[in-house]
Amino acid sequence: MTSNGFKSPAPVLPAMGLHSFHNDSPPFNGAGIVANPEPEYLSLDDSQTLPPRPQARPFGTSSQSAQKVTQMTTFPREVDLSVSNMVAPMPIRIGSPLIDPQGQQGGHHREVSNTDENISLSRSRRLVSGYMFGNPPSPVDSRPPSTAEELYHTPPSLGRDSPPLVDPRTTQVSPTESEEAPFDVEETIGEGSAQLSRKKSEKSRDRETGYDALNGLNDGEADLDESAPQAEGSTEAYLRGAGGEAGQYGFPRHRLRTTMKDESKIPIVIVACGSFSPPTYLHLRMFEMAKDEILESQTYEIMAGYYSPVSSYYKKSGLAPAVHRVRMCELAVEHTSTWLMVDPWEAGQSEYQRTAVVLEHFDEMLNSQGGGIVMSDGKKRRFKIMLLAGGDLIESFGEPGVWSEPDLHIILGRFGCLIVERAGSDVWAFLLSHDILYHHRRNVIVIKQLIYNDISSTKVRLFVRRGMSIKYLLPNSVIQYIYDHKLYRESEVKAVTQST
Ligand SMILES: Nc1ncnc2c1ncn2[C@@H]1O[C@H](COP(=O)(O)OP(=O)(O)OP(=O)(O)O)[C@@H](O)[C@H]1O
Ligand SMILES: NC(=O)c1ccc[n+]([C@@H]2O[C@H](COP(=O)(O)O)[C@@H](O)[C@H]2O)c1
């Protein structure tokens, strides 16, 4: 019996229109196929349909975000509110439910106390950080929706972002291998290591070793891959508010794919928002789990993944200064991944930015300013942007005062969400119980953790403070950075008290 009272959630969800995730279902059968309207190509003039977006600005300058929020939460008028228009007739496959090996739910302590040990373990920690320390700033218009239209409004861009361009089931697309090798591989491993000195294209390595960064195979080679594109310039100057060119914000594109292998799919960019204090192997694994799920769905093609560390204005216990967290995320992906990047924009803002605003920023950079992605026929297509989050974060959608309803419609409706199950949170029960989440369920993909990983940043910080080993919990480069910069040595409660 699960904590939500179901013997098993399996019999319930399919009857409610969700894809069966019962254990005896073929795990990856017919995945992720949505209805097939005509493809919509990128219109660079979206001023009619999209709310205003924030402009990137250097650290330390004042923000207009309060005003932006008000504007953003006013939905455009030209919307078809009929439910049939909002819900695609073909269900998106959603992964399997959380099944605790011991048959139990809820492995976490959730009590809130004033000790740093407990603060972040609590599911209510967002409330703790939100109210005790004045953040996150309240979701703006948190009044309840007054009409059904307001509640079930799906912004028009959902239609543009969501549908596949061609039905992958009926279109025979020969997987034309891209002739373009995104980067050349030149590996020279130093003394004491296997001496490797070779220059190969990603494509030729693909043939020989099965290595294919975005298609999921043997990505372990990335650890040796000194030539994977690295971020240019210093995000530190931007984050420290340095003037001049060095301090300018630049959206990282060095690992963003510029062509699609299979143009019948939807180009997707995954964005993970969070503290990452510090980033751990779990945070890296989240992207890989998402990648596997997306590959199986056959609907999307991943073009890149981004971390967006929250700014220092998010007064959460244990938050190292943003400049350190951004750098640690960069180190974490530098030589371990070929498709993940770190966007410092959110971290460099002079006040807290809500997640909906952060996703708007990505849309601006990738689609409005960036022009989307150019197809082989020269037409442009928008990147679909999806938020990647753990089950606990999603459950906080239901905590009063933490997320505004208009924001949730933007996040779940206009963008979409990849939810990684987290031990202790019952995503399935929550999906059923939360009106807005359920309404947008076809734009939500739940990812089962086939190997449970519950590495916790909170515990890593505590280990550091207690002088315990954190090796194999996070990349060595991040461990070194923590020690070099003497991070996480102070009691979190003490540190928070002193900084306020
Ligand atoms: N064990 C986990 N399983 C699934 N998702 C996780 C797990 N740990 C963190 N996440 C997700 O990673 C994202 C970033 O997490 P964040 O760094 O903000 O918090 P955290 O990892 O829980 O750290 P802390 O311990 O400091 O609270 C969030 O979406 C969170 O839900
Ligand atoms: N209203 C909001 O947009 C809202 C509320 C709570 C958390 N978040 C985001 O969720 C992420 C993770 O938060 P926690 O570290 O509290 O789990 C952060 O990026 C934070 O900005 C956003």
Side-chain angles (χ1 to χ4, degrees):
M1 180 80 75
T2 59
S3 65
N4 56 328
F6 300 140
K7 236 179 187 170
S8 152
V12 181
L13 290 177
M16 304 190 74
L18 298 176
H19 184 279
S20 169
F21 51 83
H22 197 276
N23 281 345
D24 55 17
S25 300
F28 299 117
N29 195 7
I33 303 208
V34 199
N36 179 31
E38 278 297 297
E40 295 205 37
Y41 294 102
L42 178 71
S43 156
L44 293 178
D45 176 19
D46 54 9
S47 54
Q48 298 303 304
T49 51
L50 299 182
R53 297 182 180 80
Q55 298 299 312
R57 61 186 173 280
F59 186 71
T61 57
S62 73
S63 156
Q64 305 291 318
S65 72
Q67 193 191 340
K68 268 178 250 139
V69 165
T70 322
Q71 291 169 335
M72 196 178 64
T73 53
T74 310
F75 290 123
R77 270 162 300 164
E78 61 276 35
V79 181
D80 182 349
L81 293 167
S82 67
V83 171
S84 60
N85 199 44
M86 291 183 284
V87 178
M90 290 289 295
I92 277 186
R93 184 179 78 81
I94 301 183
S96 306
L98 173 70
I99 301 167
D100 183 295
Q102 275 80 45
Q104 292 170 353
Q105 307 273 348
H108 278 266
H109 295 292
R110 296 295 190 190
E111 304 84 35
V112 181
S113 87
N114 261 349
T115 65
D116 49 351
E117 284 83 355
N118 286 334
I119 274 177
S120 285
L121 290 179
S122 163
R123 181 182 297 170
S124 301
R125 66 187 190 273
R126 287 177 193 84
L127 290 176
V128 174
S129 55
Y131 291 94
M132 242 164 69
F133 307 122
N135 254 352
S138 104
V140 180
D141 186 5
S142 51
R143 71 188 164 80
S146 52
T147 63
E149 283 184 355
E150 261 183 62
L151 176 61
Y152 291 118
H153 167 75
T154 301
S157 49
L158 169 64
R160 179 177 48 205
D161 280 349
S162 293
L165 303 146
V166 183
D167 189 337
R169 293 164 303 173
T170 54
T171 311
Q172 290 299 318
V173 180
S174 57
T176 46
E177 258 190 295
S178 165
E179 288 308 314
E180 169 190 273
F183 54 92
D184 279 336
V185 177
E186 177 132 48
E187 291 172 358
T188 308
I189 309 298
E191 277 175 40
S193 311
Q195 290 297 315
L196 289 173
S197 182
R198 58 186 194 218
K199 189 173 169 78
K200 292 179 195 170
S201 71
E202 193 180 59
K203 191 175 147 195
S204 65
R205 285 210 304 173
D206 187 2
R207 271 195 219 106
E208 286 175 26
T209 66
Y211 172 85
D212 183 348
L214 273 172
N215 285 333
L217 298 175
N218 292 342
D219 207 14
E221 276 204 12
D223 280 346
L224 301 176
D225 197 343
E226 295 295 324
S227 68
Q230 303 297 337
E232 281 174 17
S234 165
T235 49
E236 190 177 336
Y238 161 67
L239 290 169
R240 293 199 189 279
E245 220 170 282
Q248 292 283 308
Y249 166 73
F251 181 69
R253 296 176 183 278
H254 53 285
R255 291 175 176 172
L256 178 66
R257 288 218 158 168
T258 52
T259 52
M260 293 188 74
K261 283 192 170 177
D262 180 350
E263 294 188 358
S264 70
K265 293 184 179 167
I266 300 173
I268 186 178
V269 166
I270 306 173
V271 177
C273 293
S275 309
F276 310 114
S277 187
T280 68
Y281 278 131
L282 178 275
H283 295 128
L284 290 164
R285 278 293 304 161
M286 283 176 72
F287 275 99
E288 295 296 316
M289 291 184 246
K291 182 171 76 175
D292 282 346
E293 192 74 28
I294 284 168
L295 280 172
E296 286 300 329
S297 83
Q298 310 243 316
T299 303
Y300 304 107
E301 185 168 317
I302 300 183
M303 309 310 289
Y306 287 92
Y307 288 97
S308 181
V310 73
S311 74
S312 301
Y313 297 94
Y314 189 59
K315 301 279 185 202
K316 181 177 169 183
S317 176
L319 211 64
V323 66
H324 291 313
R325 288 180 290 108
V326 169
R327 186 62 196 135
M328 287 190 284
C329 288
E330 287 175 345
L331 288 169
V333 299
E334 229 163 53
H335 297 296
T336 63
S337 173
T338 51
W339 65 285
L340 297 180
M341 290 170 277
V342 184
D343 180 19
W345 178 84
E346 181 187 359
Q349 298 305 295
S350 56
E351 58 185 52
Y352 173 79
Q353 301 293 325
R354 299 173 347 271
T355 299
V357 175
V358 175
L359 295 178
E360 294 275 352
H361 157 76
F362 276 93
D363 192 31
E364 171 76 23
M365 291 297 126
L366 290 163
N367 291 323
S368 302
Q369 284 187 26
I373 182 164
V374 183
M375 299 289 113
S376 51
D377 61 3
K379 289 186 175 151
K380 290 179 174 174
R381 194 177 291 168
R382 299 181 74 88
F383 289 101
K384 180 173 174 67
I385 297 160
M386 287 186 93
L387 175 71
L388 175 64
D392 65 316
L393 186 68
I394 299 308
E395 287 194 359
S396 78
F397 286 0
E399 291 175 10
V402 179
W403 303 80
S404 76
E405 290 193 358
D407 273 12
L408 290 182
H409 283 291
I410 289 170
I411 293 167
L412 296 165
R414 177 167 165 208
F415 295 103
C417 214
L418 292 149
I419 308 176
V420 178
E421 288 179 334
R422 187 168 186 170
S425 63
D426 188 342
V427 176
W428 295 97
F430 190 70
L431 195 135
L432 280 173
S433 70
H434 192 277
D435 285 347
I436 301 176
L437 195 54
Y438 185 75
H439 172 71
H440 293 295
R441 66 193 177 280
R442 296 185 201 283
N443 213 16
V444 168
I445 300 174
V446 180
I447 301 164
K448 181 164 177 55
Q449 286 208 48
L450 295 172
I451 297 178
Y452 282 106
N453 179 342
D454 207 12
I455 299 175
S456 139
S457 296
T458 303
K459 283 186 187 155
V460 168
R461 295 193 297 270
L462 287 171
F463 283 15
V464 173
R465 183 145 65 88
R466 304 288 182 218
M468 295 161 68
S469 166
I470 53 173
K471 202 162 162 64
Y472 308 125
L473 295 174
L474 51 170
N476 285 341
S477 51
V478 179
I479 296 178
Q480 191 61 47
Y481 189 94
I482 291 172
Y483 286 104
D484 287 349
H485 293 83
K486 302 183 172 50
L487 302 180
Y488 309 125
R489 294 196 179 170
E490 273 189 273
S491 152
E492 289 175 2
V493 168
K494 202 172 131 208
V496 167
T497 315
Q498 283 172 351
S499 68
T500 49

